[in-house]
């Protein structure tokens, strides 16, 4: 009986030891798994590549001028980069590698890359927009400055307007230099200043050249031209028509255009001649009163005109009574068609000047008594075009 009892109780210690060993094995396996799993899952792998990508994205944003063109977006990207770097270093400082977990750093670096790309894109968009705006401002201002320059070439500006024109050209040159330096905002400001300065010149020209777009005046000039041509047709003789703004002398015979000559006028030919010394070429219907050959004319050969005629005297007296002329003003005289002209610019004190070769040609074709009608133009000449452009171009950019 005792023997049987001993044999049945003996396996129990072995059973407990076996379970103990099994438990130890399981615990060891769990510890090993806990230590190896983070490594196997990649949590302990430092995101070196992601860090390099984010850093390159931030560097690219700076290179493309994000600090200048998209600073707010860049500041956010830089803050995200610093936060990601701090998390990276925090994980890296843990002494036991399996305890490191770079998931947070990886996500922060991805966000830093995303924000850096946004800063880069915003910089490119804003820079392009500023460049386009500056280009448009340069183009508009350049048009106004160019118009003022052409006006200056055509009408002999007064010294004050000449200085303004020169100033606008300098401002325009500065605006273009600033544009090349990508100083777009400053370039736009300088271009606007140039346009304002040049517009003062154009505005001055508008008051001077406005008469060349006046419908009533153009109608009168065209009537004078048509009547002169009709008279030539009726009489079967030559007639001369001078269009001041076209710098042209047209010769008609028997009502038909025979030839056109390049002619220079008084250097203030945009005005009608009102008095002596105003350097304007008179407008009206005249006749040749004498022909001066070589040696008897100041400029090669010349035709004397019957200026001033009755209409000129009446106009002078009326303006004098109205106080529109200086008290000491005198009626001018000695208006000729003469040689040494054809220079392509107005330089005389009121006469019409053609080249010597053209003067020789005219000398053979016309005689004393030939009608010479001088008009401002036909509404299509350089003054009329400048006046219309000056009226349509303003510093406000409206057309």
């Amino acid at each position: 009986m005792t023997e049987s009892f001993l044999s049945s109780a003996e396996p129990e210690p072995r059973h407990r030891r076996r379970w103990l060993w099994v438990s130890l094995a399981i615990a060891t396996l769990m510890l090993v798994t806990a230590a190896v799993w983070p490594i196997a899952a990649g949590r302990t792998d430092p995101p070196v590549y992601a860090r390099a990508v984010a850093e390159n994205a931030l560097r690219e944003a700076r290179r493309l001028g994000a600090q200048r063109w998209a600073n707010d977006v860049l500041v956010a990207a830089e803050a995200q980069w610093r936060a990601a770097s701090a998390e990276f270093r925090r994980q890296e400082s843990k002494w036991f590698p399996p305890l490191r977990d770079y998931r947070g750093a990886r996500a922060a670096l991805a966000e830093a890359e995303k924000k850096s790309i946004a800063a880069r894109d915003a910089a490119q968009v804003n820079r392009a927009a500023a460049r386009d705006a500056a280009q448009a401002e340069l183009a508009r201002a350049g048009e106004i400055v160019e118009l003022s320059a052409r006006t200056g070439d055509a009408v002999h500006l007064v010294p004050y307007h000449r200085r303004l024109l020169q100033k606008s050209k300098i401002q325009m040159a500065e605006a273009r230099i600033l544009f090349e330096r990508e100083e777009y905002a400053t370039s736009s400001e300088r271009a606007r200043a140039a346009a304002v300065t040049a517009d003062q010149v154009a505005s001055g020209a508008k008051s001077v050249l406005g008469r060349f777009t006046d419908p009533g005046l153009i109608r009168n000039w065209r009537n004078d031209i048509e009547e002169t041509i009709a008279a030539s047709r009726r009489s079967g003789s030559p007639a001369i028509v001078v269009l001041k703004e076209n710098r042209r002398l047209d010769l008609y015979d028997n009502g038909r255009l025979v030839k056109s000559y390049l002619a220079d006028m008084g250097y203030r030919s945009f005005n009608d001649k009102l008095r002596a010394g105003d350097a304007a070429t008179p407008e009206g219907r005249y006749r040749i009163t004498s022909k001066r050959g070589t040696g008897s004319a100041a400029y090669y050969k010349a035709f004397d005109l019957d200026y001033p005629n009755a209409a000129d005297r009446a106009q002078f007296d009326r303006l004098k009574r109205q106080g529109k002329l200086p008290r000491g003003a005198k009626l001018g005289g000695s208006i000729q068609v003469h040689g040494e002209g054809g220079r392509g610019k107005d330089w005389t004190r009121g006469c019409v000047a053609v080249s010597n070769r053209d003067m020789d040609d005219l000398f053979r074709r016309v005689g004393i008594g030939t009608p010479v009608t001088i008009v401002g133009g036909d509404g299509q000449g350089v003054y009329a075009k400048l006046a219309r452009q000056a009226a349509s171009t303003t510093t406000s950019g409206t057309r």
Side-chain angles (χ1 to χ4, degrees):
M1 185 69 182
T2 305
E3 203 175 324
S4 171
F5 174 79
L6 291 173
S7 63
S8 63
E10 191 177 29
E12 186 173 349
R14 287 204 300 272
H15 178 74
R16 282 202 293 270
R17 283 198 295 276
R18 190 163 51 247
W19 276 106
L20 179 62
W21 281 112
V22 168
S23 299
L24 286 173
I26 292 173
T28 302
L29 180 60
M30 292 178 66
L31 287 173
V32 170
T33 300
V36 171
W37 172 250
I39 298 174
R43 295 177 182 176
T44 59
D45 294 339
V48 177
Y49 178 74
R51 188 181 187 190
V53 169
E55 189 173 21
N56 285 337
L58 186 60
R59 188 181 299 115
E60 182 69 1
R62 289 170 177 158
R63 187 183 71 80
L64 293 177
Q67 188 171 12
R68 180 177 177 186
W69 301 108
N71 189 52
D72 292 346
V73 188
L74 179 65
V75 167
E78 289 174 335
Q80 183 64 36
W81 164 254
R82 288 193 295 272
S85 297
E87 176 60 19
F88 186 94
R89 289 193 298 272
R90 192 173 73 82
Q91 296 299 327
E92 204 173 33
S93 65
K94 293 179 180 178
W95 66 274
F96 188 50
L99 296 178
R100 298 171 183 171
D101 186 352
Y102 286 100
R103 286 178 296 176
R106 186 174 285 106
L109 287 169
E111 187 63 19
E113 179 195 0
K114 180 180 175 182
K115 291 185 175 181
S116 297
I117 291 173
R120 179 200 65 189
D121 293 346
Q124 289 180 309
V125 169
N126 293 342
R127 177 174 174 273
R131 185 185 61 238
D132 292 347
Q135 274 184 325
E137 201 69 57
L138 281 173
R140 193 181 67 85
E143 186 178 349
I144 296 173
V145 173
E146 173 63 21
L147 171 64
S148 297
R150 281 188 280 118
T151 303
D153 291 339
V155 303
H156 296 272
L157 298 172
V158 298
Y160 172 69
H161 281 153
R162 282 205 299 271
R163 288 195 294 273
L164 285 180
L165 179 59
Q166 188 60 28
K167 181 180 178 182
S168 71
K169 289 179 178 177
I170 292 172
Q171 289 171 322
M172 200 65 213
E174 291 173 344
R176 291 194 173 102
I177 291 172
L178 289 166
F179 182 85
E180 293 301 320
R181 293 176 180 171
E182 298 191 353
E183 299 285 346
Y184 298 131
T186 312
S187 173
S188 294
E189 290 175 6
R190 200 59 53 86
R192 281 194 289 274
V196 170
T197 306
D199 191 56
Q200 296 178 55
V201 181
S203 297
K206 275 187 283 188
S207 62
V208 172
L209 300 179
R211 60 195 301 266
F212 290 87
T213 57
D214 182 283
L217 202 48
I218 292 172
R219 186 166 53 251
N220 291 339
W221 288 337
R222 287 177 177 170
N223 286 340
D224 283 347
I225 294 172
E226 290 171 2
E227 289 175 8
T228 301
I229 295 171
S232 169
R233 187 181 303 114
R234 287 194 301 272
S235 64
S237 55
I240 289 174
V241 173
V242 175
L243 293 94
K244 289 167 53 173
E245 67 169 343
N246 302 67
R247 292 197 180 113
R248 199 177 77 215
L249 185 153
D250 292 338
L251 174 63
Y252 290 84
D253 196 357
N254 199 22
R256 292 183 300 179
L257 179 64
V258 175
K259 193 172 181 180
S260 294
Y261 305 84
L262 179 64
D264 309 329
M265 310 292 157
Y267 58 84
R268 295 199 183 282
S269 67
F270 43 85
N271 290 327
D272 187 10
K273 189 167 188 63
L274 304 180
R275 61 183 175 87
D278 61 8
T281 299
E283 297 164 10
R285 300 181 66 174
Y286 307 100
R287 288 187 179 277
I288 295 175
T289 56
S290 62
K291 297 173 67 173
R292 296 175 184 268
T294 308
S296 62
Y299 298 97
Y300 188 54
K301 297 178 181 177
F303 304 141
D304 290 323
L305 304 184
D306 60 342
Y307 175 88
N309 58 21
D312 298 315
R313 296 181 190 282
Q315 175 181 253
F316 178 82
D317 292 340
R318 184 180 69 255
L319 295 175
K320 203 69 183 293
R321 286 195 304 274
Q322 294 172 346
K324 295 181 178 178
L325 292 176
R327 183 172 299 175
K330 296 180 180 178
L331 188 58
S334 301
I335 297 298
Q336 299 177 326
V337 175
H338 60 63
E340 299 187 11
R343 306 176 187 180
K345 63 179 182 180
D346 295 332
W347 57 273
T348 75
R349 290 181 293 178
C351 294
V352 177
V354 298
S355 70
N356 292 349
R357 186 173 62 180
D358 290 342
M359 197 64 205
D360 287 337
D361 189 46
L362 285 168
F363 232 73
R364 290 191 297 271
R365 294 176 183 269
V366 302
I368 295 173
T370 298
V372 178
T373 295
I374 304 175
V375 298
D378 55 3
Q380 302 300 321
V382 62
Y383 292 161
K385 291 176 181 176
L386 285 172
R388 293 190 184 99
Q389 283 184 297
S392 64
T393 305
T394 68
T395 53
S396 63
T398 55
R399 302 267 177 157

